[in-house]
Amino acid sequence: MGKKIGEILVALGYVKPQQVQEALEVQAREGRRRRLGEILRELYLREEQVLEALAEQWGMEVVSEEEFPEALPLERVSFSFLVENGVLPLGLSDGVLSVAIADPTRAEELADALRASLGYEVKLFLAKESAIREHLEGLYASKDALMQRLIEGAIEEAAPQPEAGPDITHLKDLAQEKGIVQLVNFLLEDAVKERASDVHIEPEETHVRVRYRIDGILYDRERFPVRMQPALSSRVKLISQMNIAERRLPQDGRIKGVFAGREVDIRVSTIPTIHGESIVMRILDKGVSLLGLQELGMEEELLKRYEALIRLPYGMILITGPTGSGKSTTLYASLQRINSPEKKIITIEEPVEYMLKGVNQIQVRPKIGLTFASGLRHIVRQDPDIIMVGEIRDLETANIAIHAALTGHLLFSTLHTNDAPSAPARLADMGVEPYLISSTLVGVMAQRLLRRLCPVCKEPYVAPGHLREELQVERLFRAKGCPQCNHTGYKGRIAIFELMVVDEDIRELITARATSSRLKEAALAKGMKTLRQDGLGKAARGISTVDEVYRVTQIEL
């Protein structure tokens, strides 16, 4: 930046030197709260004239309203962020996002925020602030209006209902009406754009509530009139290949399609409630590349210990944690790490969430008798080196898995336990003999998912005394909230881990039926980090917050 804005405007002939001086005096009286260009525009100039001077001052090109797009070229940035910051995406070409901004003094800040959030290179242009705001409001209004039109159309179509309740013919008709088709498609498109992992459609007494789960937390999104419930339910069940007439029993289905430009696989579950069928749709984005172990959040020391386990020729490795804690993602990352042409890997899963190159994957089909247990019996006859079983749910599956590990196979599976040392006790509760557990189990890893702090708005604060001493840090970070993260303060998630390596001492304890607390003591003495310790380490580095660690590890504040 060379010349001052006042000098440029004088050179352009838009103002006189004494007018610049008057504006400087106004600025001084106001305590320099406003920029000179803003004051000159208020007193003497048109917006276009100030824009021309700013473009010369900052060496930026100007774009006019005629060059604005009819629709946003991408959907991963919130309207509120764009409006509040005077930012308008213009187009995307060869990985470069062209963006119009109104305030060149924030060019670097805004470019960094967009680059970090969207992953594109950013090229900035200048445009009138009023034009950007009007255009964005028009786009936002059109999106809002679209939803309103869809709802009104769906209500109109759902209005006529037989007195005895909708029969199957009527339900099929409702499910195929144009308005309800568009509304369900819009919800799925919107959920994918918002990075939702689940969509909940919940009928209540006076309305139907729609919520999205984003980064592990549920957020309200829409509310529909209760009369739309049969049509919504029927449409989702129709495209999920469920029995549209069955409304008294739970059902499971699946939707495959392209939404928001991405190929997704959606697992659908319905259950009957007193006000109608509650529906949950879990979204698996096929377009998302699988993460490596380090990208999941494994520290270098933990990665070395875990990698030593997954490269053993035989034994059983268990990943534990509640539903939605990322166990399957860790299993896929583990298989990717050790996959090579000289190894045969077979998996049996429910469902197959991601396709792994070079891996034989089997989908469980209980209706035709293909269960984890029956599939595992046949897998061991296929001469595999490595086997992955989606989940050990019962004694039969556990016994076959242990037999496979005893006969020279490396076996991966998951189990529902709160921490790593509880896994042997859980297997024993199923009926597995402790000596078999100790003979096959080589490692157990528990995990949870923490929300990541938004990189744009996270703010530092002085660490409390007890944490300063424990974590050896002077400051921590907390969530603030900004348009980029929808004012949550968080964006994305990272895993925390707890790895118990089963050595000779721990084997003896398992055989002796030691309690989970005794196993934990032994594992800690051998260097195991707990979930809380791993989480606090990530909080100390500004990846997440202490509050978030306490939330997911169920520790009282």
Side-chain angles (χ1 to χ4, degrees):
M1 185 173 68
K3 290 183 179 179
K4 295 180 179 179
I5 188 74
E7 295 173 357
I8 296 171
L9 285 165
V10 169
L12 289 170
Y14 293 149
V15 291
K16 296 174 181 177
Q18 60 266 34
Q19 292 174 320
V20 174
Q21 188 58 41
E22 288 172 15
L24 285 169
E25 290 170 4
V26 171
Q27 187 184 50
R29 285 198 301 272
E30 293 182 353
R32 305 187 68 85
R33 289 195 303 271
R34 290 194 293 163
R35 289 188 292 276
L36 184 64
E38 185 182 345
I39 297 169
L40 283 168
R41 182 180 134 196
E42 182 182 285
L43 295 174
Y44 308 112
L45 299 171
R46 298 193 310 275
E47 190 176 4
E48 294 86 349
Q49 293 172 321
V50 177
L51 189 70
E52 185 182 345
L54 287 171
E56 183 177 330
Q57 184 185 30
W58 291 85
M60 296 175 68
E61 294 179 48
V62 175
V63 290
S64 65
E65 294 91 315
E66 290 75 25
E67 298 171 81
F68 287 177
E70 292 184 7
L72 288 180
L74 74 171
E75 294 286 350
R76 285 182 290 159
V77 59
S78 70
F79 267 93
S80 56
F81 171 81
L82 299 177
V83 172
E84 288 176 23
N85 292 281
V87 174
L88 175 64
L90 300 171
L92 182 62
S93 177
D94 297 326
V96 178
L97 179 66
S98 297
V99 178
I101 63 171
D103 184 356
T105 65
R106 298 183 61 206
E108 189 174 340
E109 170 198 345
L110 293 171
D112 286 345
L114 291 166
R115 202 177 290 116
S117 172
L118 305 173
Y120 299 120
E121 283 303 310
V122 177
K123 184 177 180 181
L124 296 178
F125 297 85
L126 274 182
K128 291 193 299 184
E129 183 180 9
S130 60
I132 289 176
R133 182 167 284 106
E134 284 175 17
H135 195 74
L136 285 171
E137 287 173 355
L139 291 175
Y140 187 74
S142 64
K143 182 181 177 183
D144 237 16
L146 172 61
M147 172 58 80
Q148 191 57 40
R149 287 197 303 272
L150 291 175
I151 292 172
E152 288 171 0
I155 290 172
E156 190 175 331
E157 294 167 355
Q161 297 230 353
E163 289 183 10
D167 60 19
I168 185 169
T169 304
H170 183 67
L171 288 172
K172 281 185 176 178
D173 289 343
L174 284 179
Q176 295 178 80
E177 290 286 358
K178 181 180 176 182
I180 205 68
V181 169
Q182 290 178 331
L183 184 59
V184 171
N185 285 346
F186 181 87
L187 283 176
L188 292 175
E189 291 262 343
D190 191 49
V192 172
K193 290 172 187 174
E194 292 282 335
R195 302 181 300 109
S197 61
D198 303 84
V199 177
H200 294 241
I201 301 176
E202 302 163 323
E204 299 185 1
E205 187 175 2
T206 58
H207 61 271
V208 178
R209 179 167 66 162
V210 177
R211 296 193 286 172
Y212 295 169
R213 188 178 294 280
I214 302 170
D215 294 334
I217 305 294
L218 279 170
Y219 297 95
D220 278 335
R221 273 299 181 264
E222 304 292 344
R223 290 194 173 207
F224 301 134
V226 71
R227 66 198 292 186
M228 290 176 60
Q229 192 276 326
L232 275 170
S233 174
S234 299
R235 178 60 191 170
V236 172
K237 287 163 71 177
L238 184 69
I239 60 178
S240 310
Q241 299 179 336
M242 297 183 193
N243 180 356
I244 206 169
E246 180 55 78
R247 303 191 298 279
R248 301 162 301 169
L249 296 172
Q251 294 190 69
D252 294 307
R254 202 166 186 173
I255 302 168
K256 289 185 178 181
V258 176
F259 297 95
R262 302 212 287 276
E263 185 182 353
V264 295
D265 193 350
I266 303 171
R267 290 153 54 186
V268 185
S269 168
T270 70
I271 58 169
T273 71
I274 58 172
H275 297 302
E277 288 176 289
S278 174
I279 299 170
V280 175
M281 297 183 277
R282 169 152 289 185
I283 300 170
L284 303 171
D285 191 342
K286 299 290 188 180
V288 174
S289 57
L290 285 171
L291 300 175
L293 293 172
Q294 281 179 305
E295 294 169 297
L296 291 176
M298 280 196 193
E299 309 299 338
E300 192 172 340
E301 183 185 344
L302 175 67
L303 183 59
K304 284 179 183 176
R305 298 179 74 198
Y306 183 66
E307 189 153 5
L309 293 180
I310 65 178
R311 294 193 182 279
L312 291 172
Y314 54 84
M316 181 164 65
I317 297 170
L318 297 176
I319 311 295
T320 76
T323 300
S325 60
K327 299 187 298 295
S328 296
T329 305
T330 300
L331 284 176
Y332 283 128
S334 303
L335 294 181
Q336 280 197 128
R337 188 86 170 191
I338 57 177
N339 190 11
S340 62
E342 65 270 14
K343 291 178 181 174
K344 178 159 185 173
I345 303 175
I346 305 180
T347 74
I348 181 161
E349 309 168 55
E350 185 186 17
V352 173
E353 295 184 9
Y354 296 98
M355 305 299 178
L356 296 175
K357 192 174 181 181
V359 175
N360 300 276
Q361 295 173 268
I362 302 169
Q363 170 80 45
V364 167
R365 300 184 186 278
K367 288 182 180 178
I368 60 171
L370 181 55
T371 62
F372 281 122
S374 64
L376 192 49
R377 280 198 192 92
H378 293 281
I379 285 174
V380 295
R381 300 172 195 158
Q382 287 281 310
D383 188 30
D385 297 292
I386 299 163
I387 301 169
M388 192 263 272
V389 181
E391 185 183 345
I392 294 177
R393 297 178 178 175
D394 51 45
L395 178 60
E396 185 181 14
T397 306
N399 279 331
I400 301 168
I402 284 171
H403 174 74
L406 281 170
T407 53
H409 304 95
L410 182 62
L411 185 133
F412 293 85
S413 192
T414 69
L415 204 61
H416 287 282
T417 64
N418 289 329
D419 59 9
S422 299
R426 177 78 184 95
L427 290 172
D429 288 344
M430 287 182 182
V432 181
E433 291 294 333
Y435 77 89
L436 289 174
I437 301 170
S438 64
S439 301
T440 55
L441 195 61
V442 295
V444 184
M445 188 154 68
Q447 69 178 75
R448 298 288 189 280
L449 292 176
L450 289 181
R451 288 184 293 169
R452 284 179 180 269
L453 274 167
C454 172
V456 177
C457 67
K458 68 179 182 179
E459 61 179 13
Y461 68 100
V462 177
H466 68 288
L467 287 174
R468 195 180 313 157
E469 187 176 337
E470 181 180 352
L471 303 178
Q472 297 295 299
V473 293
E474 291 298 318
R475 67 173 189 172
L476 293 167
F477 289 84
R478 60 187 164 208
K480 182 181 178 184
C482 69
Q484 195 64 25
C485 57
N486 285 328
H487 301 283
T488 64
Y490 298 94
K491 191 164 188 181
R493 290 192 286 179
I494 191 169
I496 55 174
F497 300 99
E498 175 181 285
L499 176 62
M500 182 179 79
V501 177
V502 180
D503 61 9
E504 286 304 319
D505 293 335
I506 290 180
R507 279 197 185 90
E508 288 179 12
L509 290 172
I510 293 172
T511 304
R513 298 178 183 268
T515 63
S516 299
S517 58
R518 180 69 190 91
L519 286 173
K520 184 174 182 177
E521 286 175 16
L524 288 171
K526 292 173 181 294
M528 180 182 83
K529 265 189 180 180
T530 63
L531 288 165
R532 179 179 182 270
Q533 288 169 334
D534 191 30
L536 288 176
K538 288 179 170 67
R541 293 194 301 282
I543 297 170
S544 189
T545 64
V546 172
D547 288 353
E548 183 70 2
V549 175
Y550 288 161
R551 181 183 71 84
V552 302
T553 56
Q554 299 177 343
I555 296 171
E556 292 295 327
L557 284 166

